[in-house]
Amino acid sequence: ARADPKVRHAMIYVDLDQFKVVNDTCGHPAGDQLLRQVTGLLQTRVRANDVLARLGGDEFGVLLEHCMPEQALRIADSLRQAIHDLRFQWGTSTMQIGASIGIVEINVHTESVATLLSAADIACYSAKDGGRNRVQVYDPASASARHREMRWMARLTNARDEGRLDIVFQPIVRIAEQTKAGYKSRPHYELLLRLMDENGAMVLPDEFIPAAERYNLMPSLDRWVVEKVLREIVPSTRDGVEEAAFTVAINLSGTTLSDPGFMEFLIETLEAHEPTPGVLCFEVTETAAITNLGHASYLMREIASRGCLVALDDFGSGLSSFNYLRTLPVNYLKIDGNFVQNVATDAIDRSMVEAIVQIGRAIGIETVAERVETQEVLDTLRRIGVGYAQGFLCGRPAAISSFPHRK
């Protein structure tokens, strides 16, 4: 029989916020008790003919039969408010949780249970992304990007396991005459992650990095890069290489920066390898460093104590106070390419670059200009006093197999 196009139902997807905090703080018996309380709470807020089910660890689903979208939204918000008002008592502790809720309509166009659950999950994730403790209705028009990101999660995992990740290098060229002792005439390169798709075509980072960050895959990808670079490129004092002949820079994602497991891995790996001082540099975006200043400061000091350098990438994009530079062991400021590309023609961009160069000089930090693509820009940067330049004019990314300093 054909489905009645006038019949409309809905599904509510409830994901508890802060449930992990209860588990970690009070133990799993407390978490089990909390789930029982939430279940009882939900049962009192849905209609008699609705179906309530626990879908996962802290996730619930509610099927609302013969329910118009407006009514489904009211029910979902009553569930959200009831969970938000709950005060969970365990021993002497009283805790408050919340819920991020996604709603998806079920009608004649609903393809399958799988697509229904996927849409509900996407709506719920959007609620979390929007600040948690909120309700989000699934919007097919805005969900296509989320669908692509979710597919990327599986593709990235497969690419890593199948050996389709690779590294390319791009030169960073010295353009200023004066340089601090120890850096003179030392070649400098940035190492960049690349992905080959299932058909052998190269995929640029802008296509897969956002998905990897959203689904917390960047710590494992950055770990893969660090292990490969230390194994194949970076010399060790254990092998008798005491003086750095070059410097290579590895990017660390903001999500990686806040991952305690990665910090432990990196420190242990550096201690085991003992890289030649000055060879290895870690790049962190200014925004990520400021957002995770506690983690960033700790990590920077730990790696600096093991002979590694530190660069702040996309510097200037956050327009934040520069006071933190006095306390962080930063060696390079990489000026955001948005200021660099028009530095020869835009007075405001040129003033910004000049200000960053002056700050670097005052504190004793080298400056690197990104996205240098024309001779006019390069000449302007040289007159301003920028220390290094990076971009297509100075050299395009090349396969790591042609890296001139491989072991």
Side-chain angles (χ1 to χ4, degrees), residues 179 215 238 246 270 294 327 334 338-339 362 386 396:
T179 182
Y215 292 99
R238 290 187 173 186
F246 62 94
L270 292 176
T327 60
K334 299 195 71 175
N338 289 319
F339 299 123
V386 173
R396 292 178 176 269

Side-chain angles (χ1 to χ4, degrees), residues 14-274:
V14 181
D15 191 338
L16 301 182
D17 300 328
Q18 307 303 324
F19 176 74
K20 188 176 185 297
V21 174
V22 175
N23 256 349
D24 293 346
T25 304
C26 302
H28 290 283
D32 292 341
Q33 178 61 31
L34 174 59
L35 290 174
R36 284 192 287 269
Q37 289 189 21
V38 170
T39 301
L41 196 64
L42 296 178
Q43 287 173 330
T44 65
R45 296 296 195 282
V46 299
R47 305 168 306 175
N49 60 331
D50 295 331
V51 178
L52 169 67
R54 183 181 171 198
L55 302 178
D58 60 350
E59 299 163 344
F60 297 84
V62 184
L63 283 176
L64 305 175
E65 186 179 2
H66 298 289
C67 188
M68 299 299 287
E70 297 80 7
Q71 186 180 9
L73 186 58
R74 286 195 298 271
I75 294 173
D77 198 58
S78 73
L79 299 180
R80 180 203 60 77
Q81 189 63 49
I83 295 172
H84 179 69
D85 293 341
L86 175 66
R87 297 298 181 269
F88 177 65
Q89 187 80 31
W90 187 261
T92 59
S93 299
T94 301
M95 282 164 281
Q96 179 182 10
I97 62 170
S100 298
I101 299 178
I103 306 175
V104 60
E105 182 180 336
I106 305 172
N107 54 38
V108 67
H109 302 295
T110 302
E111 297 177 7
S112 64
V113 173
T115 57
L116 174 67
L117 287 171
S118 175
D121 182 49
I122 287 173
C124 185
Y125 197 100
S126 296
K128 283 186 176 293
D129 213 24
R132 300 177 182 268
N133 190 42
R134 56 190 292 152
V135 176
Q136 177 68 48
V137 178
Y138 176 73
D139 178 12
S142 63
S144 58
R146 190 80 70 194
H147 274 295
R148 288 195 299 271
E149 287 186 347
M150 293 177 73
R151 287 195 295 270
W152 267 117
M153 184 166 62
R155 293 182 65 187
L156 283 169
T157 302
N158 292 337
R160 183 187 59 200
D161 296 342
E162 296 169 7
R164 288 188 283 106
L165 291 175
D166 203 359
I167 296 174
V168 298
F169 71 96
Q170 185 174 27
I172 299 174
V173 179
R174 182 72 194 173
I175 60 174
E177 294 181 2
Q178 298 296 324
T179 182
K180 297 194 310 183
Y183 297 132
K184 195 171 184 178
S185 74
R186 183 194 302 170
H188 197 150
Y189 311 89
E190 181 179 358
L191 302 180
L192 305 165
L193 184 63
R194 292 293 184 265
L195 168 69
M196 306 300 290
D197 68 15
E198 294 82 355
N199 300 315
M202 180 175 289
V203 182
L204 295 178
D206 288 349
E207 296 185 49
F208 66 86
I209 293 296
E213 290 181 332
R214 183 175 297 276
Y215 292 99
N216 203 34
L217 288 174
M218 280 313 301
S220 65
L221 294 181
D222 286 345
R223 183 183 299 228
W224 179 88
V225 171
V226 169
E227 290 177 332
K228 182 179 178 66
V229 171
L230 286 173
R231 183 174 62 250
E232 300 181 8
I233 296 175
V234 175
S236 170
T237 55
R238 290 187 173 186
D239 300 325
V241 184
E242 300 292 340
E243 185 175 350
F246 62 94
T247 297
V248 289
I250 296 175
N251 289 280
L252 295 182
S253 164
T255 54
T256 298
L257 199 65
S258 59
D259 186 320
F262 181 87
M263 287 197 285
E264 292 176 8
F265 152 80
L266 184 58
I267 291 169
E268 291 174 0
T269 303
L270 292 176
E271 287 179 346
H273 187 83
E274 295 183 9

Side-chain angles (χ1 to χ4, degrees), residues 373-385:
E373 299 177 355
T374 69
Q375 189 62 46
E376 186 180 17
V377 165
L378 183 64
D379 292 340
T380 303
L381 295 171
R382 185 177 282 115
R383 285 195 297 272
I384 291 173

